[in-house]
Amino acid sequence: MITVLNGGTRTTLQDDGRAGHRDKGIPTSGAADRLSFAIANFLVGNRWNMPALECALGGLHLRFEQAVTIAVSGAEMWGQINGQNFAINRALHVEKGDILTLSYARAGCRAYIAVAGGLSGETFLGSQSTYIPAGLGGIEGRAVKSGDKLSIAGAAPYGPQSLPNGYAPQLSKHIILRTRPAPEWDWLSLEGKRFLFTTPFYATDATDRMGSRLKGDKITLNHSQPMVSAPLIPGSLQIPPHGQPILIGIDGHCTGGYARALQVIQADIWLLGQIAPGSGISFRRCFAENAPKILASRHAFYNGLIPNFRF
Amino acid sequence: MTQTLPRISAYGDHALQIQYDVDGFSTAINDAVHTLAAQLKTDENWIDIITGYDSLVATFNSTALTIDSAKRKVEDTLIRTPQSASPQTQNRLIDIPVTYGGACGPDMGNICQSSGLNEQAVIEKHAAQIYRVCMMGFLPGFAFLSEVPKALHHPRHANPRAVVPAGSIGIANWQTGIYGLDSPGGWQIIGRTDQVMFDKTRKTPSLIQAGDRIRFIPQ
């Protein structure tokens, strides 16, 4: 059992999500940064997709009511156990009564706290991932708050692990996303297309698991016909008529009515989870033939360590 | 009914869009979209099959399929089966009580202005016909309905609102729809219903399903 002393900015229970229900309007959800989430689970000896806490921007205080192995991965936060700094991406043994605090993300946005055996929440459509707008999954479908008691689901299938050099993702305050064209790419003006790949954008305060409104050079459209609402997937970059792009997140809308200009390649979708308000974002072109190669090599690299992990 | 083959194009590196060319709204095209979706759903290599009014997006497991092999799969499905075979037969008629205008419909003035009608005439026109639920989506419980009368057509807000209350009835160009949850949104809001569109504790969380017919009852 773990007691939440302070829920922080926004901390939710997440697993690998409920893909396959977007036609009913149910977003994918799940860990916004699947890679860091998988690494945290790997370190404590869990299967990669067992439910863990996702803490956005810090402020989380937990008290462990039993001795257990934990690991923190993802955003570089100032993390302490009983006032002593600890390193991320490492399995840690905590005793009954130990207090973990996470504050201020120096780089990235979301930290993952995995507990050996996994945490236990409500299941909706086969997933325990929290989706706050509809109150689905997790702890009563909401962010955790002080006084919550989180139960540990069982025992971890493996013992604590360590992460070899080179496997920890390097996060920065400027995120580069590789993209392929999305269906309305050709609606963009020539300058719009050029600006998207040559000028930086910044995530505004309207940045959360649903998506991120960006600020940067105005992206204009050549196409004046109104758009009919059409399906949308996480990682799509939409261009509304006012020209400031919206990047769709893992909890993002299932359909949208703005031009879909770019789509982040699958191997880079995990980076969406590390966009914080104020983060810089640059888009890069990825050639069609390279995207599957990048994904295959990233899967091969991580699957050597974390079986069955999928970006 | 003449049936044209849709255009199949890549949507990023792990999805396809299948787009039927149609101007405005067509019941026949929406039937074709749902028929194709039902056929593709029998193949487990697809992850999400999301239907639109005149298009469909299918995401796939990229360890099993590539853009090219996924395209061939859709082409094979289109060739193999007659697209007009199984139009939706589900025809529930659901009454939705609506409070139009005022605090419930902050954009009523915009519609009155662009249509040249007074509020009462807009309400009568909007509630006069039975709509078809073409797709569910955007967010849980959001229902996209068929075409509104021509006079009521109105573009979305250029800059979407941060919060639109659950149950709001909106217009976007020729579409009308019902917001299922409090959410951001860019539609012109003309009224609100007190019906709970989405409730996770119900056996079927969504009050309405694609294929249903909707009648608005002004309160």
PDB file of all heavy atoms in Angstrom, chain A residues 20-23 25 131 135 181 213 226-227 229 236 242 253-255 260 266, chain B residues 11-13 17 41 48-49 62 136 138-140 144 156 158-159 175 200:
ATOM      1  N   GLY A  20      -7.993   1.024 -29.989  1.00  0.00           N
ATOM      2  CA  GLY A  20      -9.011   0.262 -30.707  1.00  0.00           C
ATOM      3  C   GLY A  20     -10.433   0.713 -30.441  1.00  0.00           C
ATOM      4  O   GLY A  20     -11.377   0.076 -30.910  1.00  0.00           O
ATOM      5  N   HIS A  21     -10.630   1.810 -29.687  1.00  0.00           N
ATOM      6  CA  HIS A  21     -11.990   2.276 -29.400  1.00  0.00           C
ATOM      7  C   HIS A  21     -12.219   3.711 -29.864  1.00  0.00           C
ATOM      8  O   HIS A  21     -13.164   4.358 -29.435  1.00  0.00           O
ATOM      9  CB  HIS A  21     -12.269   2.158 -27.900  1.00  0.00           C
ATOM     10  CG  HIS A  21     -12.159   0.747 -27.395  1.00  0.00           C
ATOM     11  ND1 HIS A  21     -13.121  -0.206 -27.650  1.00  0.00           N
ATOM     12  CD2 HIS A  21     -11.179   0.118 -26.715  1.00  0.00           C
ATOM     13  CE1 HIS A  21     -12.743  -1.359 -27.123  1.00  0.00           C
ATOM     14  NE2 HIS A  21     -11.567  -1.188 -26.546  1.00  0.00           N
ATOM     15  N   ARG A  22     -11.341   4.221 -30.720  1.00  0.00           N
ATOM     16  CA  ARG A  22     -11.483   5.606 -31.161  1.00  0.00           C
ATOM     17  C   ARG A  22     -12.760   5.806 -31.980  1.00  0.00           C
ATOM     18  O   ARG A  22     -13.288   6.907 -32.030  1.00  0.00           O
ATOM     19  CB  ARG A  22     -10.248   6.055 -31.949  1.00  0.00           C
ATOM     20  CG  ARG A  22      -8.983   6.067 -31.099  1.00  0.00           C
ATOM     21  CD  ARG A  22      -7.769   6.607 -31.841  1.00  0.00           C
ATOM     22  NE  ARG A  22      -7.776   8.049 -32.008  1.00  0.00           N
ATOM     23  CZ  ARG A  22      -7.448   8.912 -31.062  1.00  0.00           C
ATOM     24  NH1 ARG A  22      -7.071   8.495 -29.882  1.00  0.00           N
ATOM     25  NH2 ARG A  22      -7.492  10.209 -31.297  1.00  0.00           N
ATOM     26  N   ASP A  23     -13.275   4.731 -32.611  1.00  0.00           N
ATOM     27  CA  ASP A  23     -14.515   4.870 -33.391  1.00  0.00           C
ATOM     28  C   ASP A  23     -15.703   5.155 -32.472  1.00  0.00           C
ATOM     29  O   ASP A  23     -16.726   5.661 -32.927  1.00  0.00           O
ATOM     30  CB  ASP A  23     -14.781   3.604 -34.221  1.00  0.00           C
ATOM     31  CG  ASP A  23     -14.903   2.357 -33.364  1.00  0.00           C
ATOM     32  OD1 ASP A  23     -14.240   2.291 -32.311  1.00  0.00           O
ATOM     33  OD2 ASP A  23     -15.669   1.453 -33.729  1.00  0.00           O
ATOM     34  N   GLY A  25     -15.320   7.143 -29.920  1.00  0.00           N
ATOM     35  CA  GLY A  25     -14.969   8.397 -29.265  1.00  0.00           C
ATOM     36  C   GLY A  25     -14.136   8.210 -28.018  1.00  0.00           C
ATOM     37  O   GLY A  25     -13.945   9.155 -27.264  1.00  0.00           O
ATOM     38  N   TYR A 131      -8.408   8.395 -17.857  1.00  0.00           N
ATOM     39  CA  TYR A 131      -8.778   9.401 -18.845  1.00  0.00           C
ATOM     40  C   TYR A 131      -9.710  10.355 -18.123  1.00  0.00           C
ATOM     41  O   TYR A 131     -10.897  10.062 -17.915  1.00  0.00           O
ATOM     42  CB  TYR A 131      -9.431   8.749 -20.069  1.00  0.00           C
ATOM     43  CG  TYR A 131      -9.981   9.756 -21.040  1.00  0.00           C
ATOM     44  CD1 TYR A 131      -9.131  10.664 -21.676  1.00  0.00           C
ATOM     45  CD2 TYR A 131     -11.336   9.830 -21.310  1.00  0.00           C
ATOM     46  CE1 TYR A 131      -9.633  11.605 -22.550  1.00  0.00           C
ATOM     47  CE2 TYR A 131     -11.847  10.766 -22.193  1.00  0.00           C
ATOM     48  CZ  TYR A 131     -10.989  11.649 -22.806  1.00  0.00           C
ATOM     49  OH  TYR A 131     -11.501  12.590 -23.669  1.00  0.00           O
ATOM     50  N   GLY A 135     -13.686  10.469 -16.861  1.00  0.00           N
ATOM     51  CA  GLY A 135     -13.588   9.764 -15.584  1.00  0.00           C
ATOM     52  C   GLY A 135     -13.354   8.268 -15.733  1.00  0.00           C
ATOM     53  O   GLY A 135     -13.884   7.473 -14.967  1.00  0.00           O
ATOM     54  N   PRO A 181       3.758  13.321 -43.934  1.00  0.00           N
ATOM     55  CA  PRO A 181       2.580  14.139 -44.236  1.00  0.00           C
ATOM     56  C   PRO A 181       1.285  13.479 -43.747  1.00  0.00           C
ATOM     57  O   PRO A 181       1.162  12.262 -43.750  1.00  0.00           O
ATOM     58  CB  PRO A 181       2.572  14.232 -45.766  1.00  0.00           C
ATOM     59  CG  PRO A 181       3.948  13.841 -46.194  1.00  0.00           C
ATOM     60  CD  PRO A 181       4.482  12.923 -45.153  1.00  0.00           C
ATOM     61  N   ARG A 213      -1.229  23.226 -27.670  1.00  0.00           N
ATOM     62  CA  ARG A 213      -1.353  24.339 -28.615  1.00  0.00           C
ATOM     63  C   ARG A 213      -0.002  24.992 -28.728  1.00  0.00           C
ATOM     64  O   ARG A 213       0.598  25.360 -27.723  1.00  0.00           O
ATOM     65  CB  ARG A 213      -2.372  25.349 -28.099  1.00  0.00           C
ATOM     66  CG  ARG A 213      -3.783  24.847 -28.189  1.00  0.00           C
ATOM     67  CD  ARG A 213      -4.692  26.003 -27.861  1.00  0.00           C
ATOM     68  NE  ARG A 213      -6.061  25.564 -27.804  1.00  0.00           N
ATOM     69  CZ  ARG A 213      -7.073  26.302 -28.233  1.00  0.00           C
ATOM     70  NH1 ARG A 213      -6.849  27.505 -28.731  1.00  0.00           N
ATOM     71  NH2 ARG A 213      -8.287  25.851 -28.145  1.00  0.00           N
ATOM     72  N   PRO A 226     -14.174  24.884 -46.153  1.00  0.00           N
ATOM     73  CA  PRO A 226     -14.214  24.385 -44.792  1.00  0.00           C
ATOM     74  C   PRO A 226     -13.991  22.873 -44.765  1.00  0.00           C
ATOM     75  O   PRO A 226     -14.286  22.164 -45.718  1.00  0.00           O
ATOM     76  CB  PRO A 226     -15.616  24.741 -44.307  1.00  0.00           C
ATOM     77  CG  PRO A 226     -16.412  25.003 -45.537  1.00  0.00           C
ATOM     78  CD  PRO A 226     -15.467  25.396 -46.621  1.00  0.00           C
ATOM     79  N   MET A 227     -13.459  22.426 -43.648  1.00  0.00           N
ATOM     80  CA  MET A 227     -13.108  21.009 -43.509  1.00  0.00           C
ATOM     81  C   MET A 227     -14.280  20.272 -42.859  1.00  0.00           C
ATOM     82  O   MET A 227     -14.912  20.773 -41.937  1.00  0.00           O
ATOM     83  CB  MET A 227     -11.867  20.966 -42.622  1.00  0.00           C
ATOM     84  CG  MET A 227     -11.592  19.648 -41.993  1.00  0.00           C
ATOM     85  SD  MET A 227     -10.064  18.954 -42.596  1.00  0.00           S
ATOM     86  CE  MET A 227     -10.059  17.438 -41.671  1.00  0.00           C
ATOM     87  N   SER A 229     -15.498  17.303 -40.460  1.00  0.00           N
ATOM     88  CA  SER A 229     -14.873  16.578 -39.352  1.00  0.00           C
ATOM     89  C   SER A 229     -14.387  15.221 -39.823  1.00  0.00           C
ATOM     90  O   SER A 229     -15.103  14.505 -40.527  1.00  0.00           O
ATOM     91  CB  SER A 229     -15.878  16.370 -38.214  1.00  0.00           C
ATOM     92  OG  SER A 229     -16.226  17.604 -37.666  1.00  0.00           O
ATOM     93  N   SER A 236      -0.920  13.813 -34.506  1.00  0.00           N
ATOM     94  CA  SER A 236      -1.278  14.638 -35.664  1.00  0.00           C
ATOM     95  C   SER A 236      -1.070  16.106 -35.333  1.00  0.00           C
ATOM     96  O   SER A 236      -1.334  16.534 -34.212  1.00  0.00           O
ATOM     97  CB  SER A 236      -2.745  14.440 -36.050  1.00  0.00           C
ATOM     98  OG  SER A 236      -2.937  13.161 -36.600  1.00  0.00           O
ATOM     99  N   HIS A 242      -6.586  30.184 -37.648  1.00  0.00           N
ATOM    100  CA  HIS A 242      -5.745  31.267 -37.116  1.00  0.00           C
ATOM    101  C   HIS A 242      -4.249  30.975 -37.247  1.00  0.00           C
ATOM    102  O   HIS A 242      -3.419  31.816 -36.935  1.00  0.00           O
ATOM    103  CB  HIS A 242      -6.124  31.618 -35.672  1.00  0.00           C
ATOM    104  CG  HIS A 242      -5.948  30.491 -34.689  1.00  0.00           C
ATOM    105  ND1 HIS A 242      -4.713  30.053 -34.281  1.00  0.00           N
ATOM    106  CD2 HIS A 242      -6.845  29.707 -34.053  1.00  0.00           C
ATOM    107  CE1 HIS A 242      -4.867  29.061 -33.414  1.00  0.00           C
ATOM    108  NE2 HIS A 242      -6.152  28.823 -33.273  1.00  0.00           N
ATOM    109  N   HIS A 253      -8.435  14.118 -29.074  1.00  0.00           N
ATOM    110  CA  HIS A 253      -9.719  13.904 -29.743  1.00  0.00           C
ATOM    111  C   HIS A 253      -9.639  12.802 -30.782  1.00  0.00           C
ATOM    112  O   HIS A 253      -8.633  12.656 -31.457  1.00  0.00           O
ATOM    113  CB  HIS A 253     -10.143  15.170 -30.486  1.00  0.00           C
ATOM    114  CG  HIS A 253     -10.147  16.374 -29.629  1.00  0.00           C
ATOM    115  ND1 HIS A 253     -10.005  17.633 -30.131  1.00  0.00           N
ATOM    116  CD2 HIS A 253     -10.283  16.501 -28.304  1.00  0.00           C
ATOM    117  CE1 HIS A 253     -10.058  18.500 -29.140  1.00  0.00           C
ATOM    118  NE2 HIS A 253     -10.218  17.839 -28.024  1.00  0.00           N
ATOM    119  N   CYS A 254     -10.752  12.091 -30.961  1.00  0.00           N
ATOM    120  CA  CYS A 254     -10.804  11.019 -31.958  1.00  0.00           C
ATOM    121  C   CYS A 254     -11.142  11.536 -33.343  1.00  0.00           C
ATOM    122  O   CYS A 254     -10.893  10.867 -34.342  1.00  0.00           O
ATOM    123  CB  CYS A 254     -11.818   9.973 -31.529  1.00  0.00           C
ATOM    124  SG  CYS A 254     -11.379   9.242 -29.958  1.00  0.00           S
ATOM    125  N   THR A 255     -11.769  12.726 -33.411  1.00  0.00           N
ATOM    126  CA  THR A 255     -12.028  13.350 -34.709  1.00  0.00           C
ATOM    127  C   THR A 255     -11.770  14.837 -34.548  1.00  0.00           C
ATOM    128  O   THR A 255     -11.790  15.359 -33.441  1.00  0.00           O
ATOM    129  CB  THR A 255     -13.487  13.174 -35.161  1.00  0.00           C
ATOM    130  OG1 THR A 255     -14.326  13.852 -34.237  1.00  0.00           O
ATOM    131  CG2 THR A 255     -13.898  11.712 -35.233  1.00  0.00           C
ATOM    132  N   ARG A 260      -5.267  18.483 -41.073  1.00  0.00           N
ATOM    133  CA  ARG A 260      -4.216  17.653 -40.488  1.00  0.00           C
ATOM    134  C   ARG A 260      -3.001  17.765 -41.397  1.00  0.00           C
ATOM    135  O   ARG A 260      -3.015  17.272 -42.517  1.00  0.00           O
ATOM    136  CB  ARG A 260      -4.696  16.193 -40.392  1.00  0.00           C
ATOM    137  CG  ARG A 260      -5.929  16.022 -39.502  1.00  0.00           C
ATOM    138  CD  ARG A 260      -6.695  14.749 -39.816  1.00  0.00           C
ATOM    139  NE  ARG A 260      -7.265  14.796 -41.160  1.00  0.00           N
ATOM    140  CZ  ARG A 260      -7.980  13.814 -41.702  1.00  0.00           C
ATOM    141  NH1 ARG A 260      -8.209  12.706 -41.024  1.00  0.00           N
ATOM    142  NH2 ARG A 260      -8.461  13.934 -42.920  1.00  0.00           N
ATOM    143  N   GLN A 266       5.727   6.874 -35.710  1.00  0.00           N
ATOM    144  CA  GLN A 266       5.423   6.063 -34.530  1.00  0.00           C
ATOM    145  C   GLN A 266       6.603   5.984 -33.556  1.00  0.00           C
ATOM    146  O   GLN A 266       6.413   5.998 -32.340  1.00  0.00           O
ATOM    147  CB  GLN A 266       4.998   4.655 -34.959  1.00  0.00           C
ATOM    148  CG  GLN A 266       4.318   3.916 -33.837  1.00  0.00           C
ATOM    149  CD  GLN A 266       3.615   2.661 -34.304  1.00  0.00           C
ATOM    150  OE1 GLN A 266       3.655   2.306 -35.471  1.00  0.00           O
ATOM    151  NE2 GLN A 266       2.974   1.992 -33.372  1.00  0.00           N
TER     152      GLN A 266
ATOM    153  N   TYR B  11      -1.381   8.206 -44.006  1.00  0.00           N
ATOM    154  CA  TYR B  11      -1.590   9.221 -42.969  1.00  0.00           C
ATOM    155  C   TYR B  11      -0.467   8.959 -41.982  1.00  0.00           C
ATOM    156  O   TYR B  11      -0.563   8.101 -41.119  1.00  0.00           O
ATOM    157  CB  TYR B  11      -2.975   8.995 -42.357  1.00  0.00           C
ATOM    158  CG  TYR B  11      -3.420   9.914 -41.232  1.00  0.00           C
ATOM    159  CD1 TYR B  11      -4.742   9.870 -40.791  1.00  0.00           C
ATOM    160  CD2 TYR B  11      -2.568  10.814 -40.615  1.00  0.00           C
ATOM    161  CE1 TYR B  11      -5.203  10.679 -39.772  1.00  0.00           C
ATOM    162  CE2 TYR B  11      -3.011  11.638 -39.593  1.00  0.00           C
ATOM    163  CZ  TYR B  11      -4.327  11.563 -39.166  1.00  0.00           C
ATOM    164  OH  TYR B  11      -4.770  12.369 -38.157  1.00  0.00           O
ATOM    165  N   GLY B  12       0.648   9.679 -42.174  1.00  0.00           N
ATOM    166  CA  GLY B  12       1.836   9.392 -41.379  1.00  0.00           C
ATOM    167  C   GLY B  12       2.424   8.048 -41.773  1.00  0.00           C
ATOM    168  O   GLY B  12       2.273   7.611 -42.920  1.00  0.00           O
ATOM    169  N   ASP B  13       3.089   7.380 -40.819  1.00  0.00           N
ATOM    170  CA  ASP B  13       3.755   6.109 -41.135  1.00  0.00           C
ATOM    171  C   ASP B  13       3.020   4.902 -40.576  1.00  0.00           C
ATOM    172  O   ASP B  13       3.449   3.774 -40.793  1.00  0.00           O
ATOM    173  CB  ASP B  13       5.207   6.116 -40.616  1.00  0.00           C
ATOM    174  CG  ASP B  13       5.286   6.083 -39.093  1.00  0.00           C
ATOM    175  OD1 ASP B  13       4.319   6.532 -38.427  1.00  0.00           O
ATOM    176  OD2 ASP B  13       6.307   5.629 -38.558  1.00  0.00           O
ATOM    177  N   GLN B  17      -5.624   6.798 -44.752  1.00  0.00           N
ATOM    178  CA  GLN B  17      -6.928   7.437 -44.854  1.00  0.00           C
ATOM    179  C   GLN B  17      -7.589   6.954 -46.132  1.00  0.00           C
ATOM    180  O   GLN B  17      -6.960   6.919 -47.194  1.00  0.00           O
ATOM    181  CB  GLN B  17      -6.816   8.952 -44.861  1.00  0.00           C
ATOM    182  CG  GLN B  17      -8.102   9.584 -45.411  1.00  0.00           C
ATOM    183  CD  GLN B  17      -8.324  10.997 -44.964  1.00  0.00           C
ATOM    184  OE1 GLN B  17      -8.596  11.249 -43.801  1.00  0.00           O
ATOM    185  NE2 GLN B  17      -8.201  11.908 -45.909  1.00  0.00           N
ATOM    186  N   LYS B  41     -12.741  -4.528 -39.861  1.00  0.00           N
ATOM    187  CA  LYS B  41     -12.654  -4.893 -38.442  1.00  0.00           C
ATOM    188  C   LYS B  41     -12.476  -6.395 -38.223  1.00  0.00           C
ATOM    189  O   LYS B  41     -12.117  -6.813 -37.125  1.00  0.00           O
ATOM    190  CB  LYS B  41     -13.894  -4.401 -37.681  1.00  0.00           C
ATOM    191  CG  LYS B  41     -13.717  -2.967 -37.195  1.00  0.00           C
ATOM    192  CD  LYS B  41     -14.937  -2.388 -36.528  1.00  0.00           C
ATOM    193  CE  LYS B  41     -14.670  -0.906 -36.248  1.00  0.00           C
ATOM    194  NZ  LYS B  41     -15.866  -0.155 -35.908  1.00  0.00           N
ATOM    195  N   ASP B  48      -6.987   0.725 -34.842  1.00  0.00           N
ATOM    196  CA  ASP B  48      -8.168   1.578 -34.758  1.00  0.00           C
ATOM    197  C   ASP B  48      -8.745   1.745 -36.140  1.00  0.00           C
ATOM    198  O   ASP B  48      -8.003   2.018 -37.095  1.00  0.00           O
ATOM    199  CB  ASP B  48      -7.791   2.974 -34.213  1.00  0.00           C
ATOM    200  CG  ASP B  48      -7.953   3.070 -32.708  1.00  0.00           C
ATOM    201  OD1 ASP B  48      -9.085   2.839 -32.225  1.00  0.00           O
ATOM    202  OD2 ASP B  48      -6.967   3.371 -32.021  1.00  0.00           O
ATOM    203  N   ILE B  49     -10.048   1.569 -36.262  1.00  0.00           N
ATOM    204  CA  ILE B  49     -10.731   1.861 -37.526  1.00  0.00           C
ATOM    205  C   ILE B  49     -11.752   2.929 -37.204  1.00  0.00           C
ATOM    206  O   ILE B  49     -12.748   2.662 -36.519  1.00  0.00           O
ATOM    207  CB  ILE B  49     -11.356   0.599 -38.119  1.00  0.00           C
ATOM    208  CG1 ILE B  49     -10.211  -0.347 -38.506  1.00  0.00           C
ATOM    209  CG2 ILE B  49     -12.236   0.930 -39.314  1.00  0.00           C
ATOM    210  CD1 ILE B  49     -10.623  -1.693 -38.943  1.00  0.00           C
ATOM    211  N   SER B  62       2.424  -1.761 -37.020  1.00  0.00           N
ATOM    212  CA  SER B  62       3.513  -1.599 -37.997  1.00  0.00           C
ATOM    213  C   SER B  62       4.544  -2.708 -37.926  1.00  0.00           C
ATOM    214  O   SER B  62       5.455  -2.716 -38.739  1.00  0.00           O
ATOM    215  CB  SER B  62       4.208  -0.249 -37.866  1.00  0.00           C
ATOM    216  OG  SER B  62       3.670   0.521 -36.885  1.00  0.00           O
ATOM    217  N   MET B 136     -19.600   8.756 -34.295  1.00  0.00           N
ATOM    218  CA  MET B 136     -19.380   9.123 -32.898  1.00  0.00           C
ATOM    219  C   MET B 136     -17.903   9.452 -32.803  1.00  0.00           C
ATOM    220  O   MET B 136     -17.083   8.869 -33.488  1.00  0.00           O
ATOM    221  CB  MET B 136     -19.689   7.951 -31.968  1.00  0.00           C
ATOM    222  CG  MET B 136     -21.120   7.478 -32.036  1.00  0.00           C
ATOM    223  SD  MET B 136     -22.287   8.738 -31.494  1.00  0.00           S
ATOM    224  CE  MET B 136     -21.814   8.939 -29.772  1.00  0.00           C
ATOM    225  N   PHE B 138     -14.661  12.461 -31.695  1.00  0.00           N
ATOM    226  CA  PHE B 138     -14.111  13.659 -31.084  1.00  0.00           C
ATOM    227  C   PHE B 138     -13.767  13.300 -29.648  1.00  0.00           C
ATOM    228  O   PHE B 138     -12.623  13.083 -29.318  1.00  0.00           O
ATOM    229  CB  PHE B 138     -15.107  14.811 -31.194  1.00  0.00           C
ATOM    230  CG  PHE B 138     -14.713  16.067 -30.477  1.00  0.00           C
ATOM    231  CD1 PHE B 138     -13.537  16.712 -30.776  1.00  0.00           C
ATOM    232  CD2 PHE B 138     -15.548  16.607 -29.506  1.00  0.00           C
ATOM    233  CE1 PHE B 138     -13.182  17.885 -30.108  1.00  0.00           C
ATOM    234  CE2 PHE B 138     -15.200  17.785 -28.852  1.00  0.00           C
ATOM    235  CZ  PHE B 138     -14.013  18.419 -29.149  1.00  0.00           C
ATOM    236  N   LEU B 139     -14.795  13.141 -28.807  1.00  0.00           N
ATOM    237  CA  LEU B 139     -14.619  12.694 -27.421  1.00  0.00           C
ATOM    238  C   LEU B 139     -15.755  11.728 -27.122  1.00  0.00           C
ATOM    239  O   LEU B 139     -16.731  11.678 -27.860  1.00  0.00           O
ATOM    240  CB  LEU B 139     -14.719  13.889 -26.475  1.00  0.00           C
ATOM    241  CG  LEU B 139     -13.499  14.800 -26.406  1.00  0.00           C
ATOM    242  CD1 LEU B 139     -13.810  15.995 -25.557  1.00  0.00           C
ATOM    243  CD2 LEU B 139     -12.293  14.062 -25.877  1.00  0.00           C
ATOM    244  N   PRO B 140     -15.658  10.969 -26.003  1.00  0.00           N
ATOM    245  CA  PRO B 140     -16.731  10.025 -25.691  1.00  0.00           C
ATOM    246  C   PRO B 140     -18.101  10.707 -25.692  1.00  0.00           C
ATOM    247  O   PRO B 140     -18.266  11.775 -25.110  1.00  0.00           O
ATOM    248  CB  PRO B 140     -16.371   9.540 -24.287  1.00  0.00           C
ATOM    249  CG  PRO B 140     -14.902   9.706 -24.193  1.00  0.00           C
ATOM    250  CD  PRO B 140     -14.573  10.911 -25.023  1.00  0.00           C
ATOM    251  N   PHE B 144     -21.939  13.115 -34.145  1.00  0.00           N
ATOM    252  CA  PHE B 144     -21.928  13.934 -35.360  1.00  0.00           C
ATOM    253  C   PHE B 144     -23.166  13.588 -36.158  1.00  0.00           C
ATOM    254  O   PHE B 144     -23.367  12.431 -36.539  1.00  0.00           O
ATOM    255  CB  PHE B 144     -20.693  13.618 -36.201  1.00  0.00           C
ATOM    256  CG  PHE B 144     -19.413  14.131 -35.619  1.00  0.00           C
ATOM    257  CD1 PHE B 144     -18.692  13.361 -34.730  1.00  0.00           C
ATOM    258  CD2 PHE B 144     -18.924  15.370 -35.974  1.00  0.00           C
ATOM    259  CE1 PHE B 144     -17.493  13.819 -34.197  1.00  0.00           C
ATOM    260  CE2 PHE B 144     -17.731  15.842 -35.447  1.00  0.00           C
ATOM    261  CZ  PHE B 144     -17.017  15.068 -34.559  1.00  0.00           C
ATOM    262  N   ARG B 156     -17.076  27.178 -38.311  1.00  0.00           N
ATOM    263  CA  ARG B 156     -16.612  27.075 -36.917  1.00  0.00           C
ATOM    264  C   ARG B 156     -15.996  28.390 -36.463  1.00  0.00           C
ATOM    265  O   ARG B 156     -15.628  29.221 -37.275  1.00  0.00           O
ATOM    266  CB  ARG B 156     -15.487  26.030 -36.814  1.00  0.00           C
ATOM    267  CG  ARG B 156     -15.911  24.625 -36.960  1.00  0.00           C
ATOM    268  CD  ARG B 156     -14.658  23.742 -36.848  1.00  0.00           C
ATOM    269  NE  ARG B 156     -14.996  22.364 -37.105  1.00  0.00           N
ATOM    270  CZ  ARG B 156     -15.183  21.865 -38.310  1.00  0.00           C
ATOM    271  NH1 ARG B 156     -15.036  22.622 -39.376  1.00  0.00           N
ATOM    272  NH2 ARG B 156     -15.504  20.602 -38.473  1.00  0.00           N
ATOM    273  N   ALA B 158     -12.909  30.571 -35.515  1.00  0.00           N
ATOM    274  CA  ALA B 158     -11.520  30.488 -35.989  1.00  0.00           C
ATOM    275  C   ALA B 158     -10.623  30.008 -34.857  1.00  0.00           C
ATOM    276  O   ALA B 158      -9.643  29.309 -35.073  1.00  0.00           O
ATOM    277  CB  ALA B 158     -11.065  31.843 -36.496  1.00  0.00           C
ATOM    278  N   ASN B 159     -10.948  30.397 -33.627  1.00  0.00           N
ATOM    279  CA  ASN B 159     -10.154  29.982 -32.471  1.00  0.00           C
ATOM    280  C   ASN B 159     -11.095  29.230 -31.524  1.00  0.00           C
ATOM    281  O   ASN B 159     -12.041  29.819 -31.001  1.00  0.00           O
ATOM    282  CB  ASN B 159      -9.590  31.238 -31.801  1.00  0.00           C
ATOM    283  CG  ASN B 159      -8.426  30.896 -30.893  1.00  0.00           C
ATOM    284  OD1 ASN B 159      -8.116  29.717 -30.686  1.00  0.00           O
ATOM    285  ND2 ASN B 159      -7.811  31.910 -30.335  1.00  0.00           N
ATOM    286  N   GLN B 175     -22.676  20.609 -40.718  1.00  0.00           N
ATOM    287  CA  GLN B 175     -22.864  19.566 -39.714  1.00  0.00           C
ATOM    288  C   GLN B 175     -23.531  20.122 -38.461  1.00  0.00           C
ATOM    289  O   GLN B 175     -23.350  21.275 -38.116  1.00  0.00           O
ATOM    290  CB  GLN B 175     -21.518  18.989 -39.253  1.00  0.00           C
ATOM    291  CG  GLN B 175     -20.548  18.629 -40.340  1.00  0.00           C
ATOM    292  CD  GLN B 175     -19.147  18.407 -39.774  1.00  0.00           C
ATOM    293  OE1 GLN B 175     -18.928  17.537 -38.964  1.00  0.00           O
ATOM    294  NE2 GLN B 175     -18.204  19.205 -40.215  1.00  0.00           N
ATOM    295  N   LYS B 200     -20.045   6.180 -17.962  1.00  0.00           N
ATOM    296  CA  LYS B 200     -19.241   4.943 -18.017  1.00  0.00           C
ATOM    297  C   LYS B 200     -19.890   3.802 -17.246  1.00  0.00           C
ATOM    298  O   LYS B 200     -19.557   2.641 -17.461  1.00  0.00           O
ATOM    299  CB  LYS B 200     -17.827   5.209 -17.482  1.00  0.00           C
ATOM    300  CG  LYS B 200     -17.795   5.562 -15.999  1.00  0.00           C
ATOM    301  CD  LYS B 200     -16.374   5.601 -15.460  1.00  0.00           C
ATOM    302  CE  LYS B 200     -16.399   6.117 -14.023  1.00  0.00           C
ATOM    303  NZ  LYS B 200     -15.088   6.153 -13.385  1.00  0.00           N
TER     304      LYS B 200
END
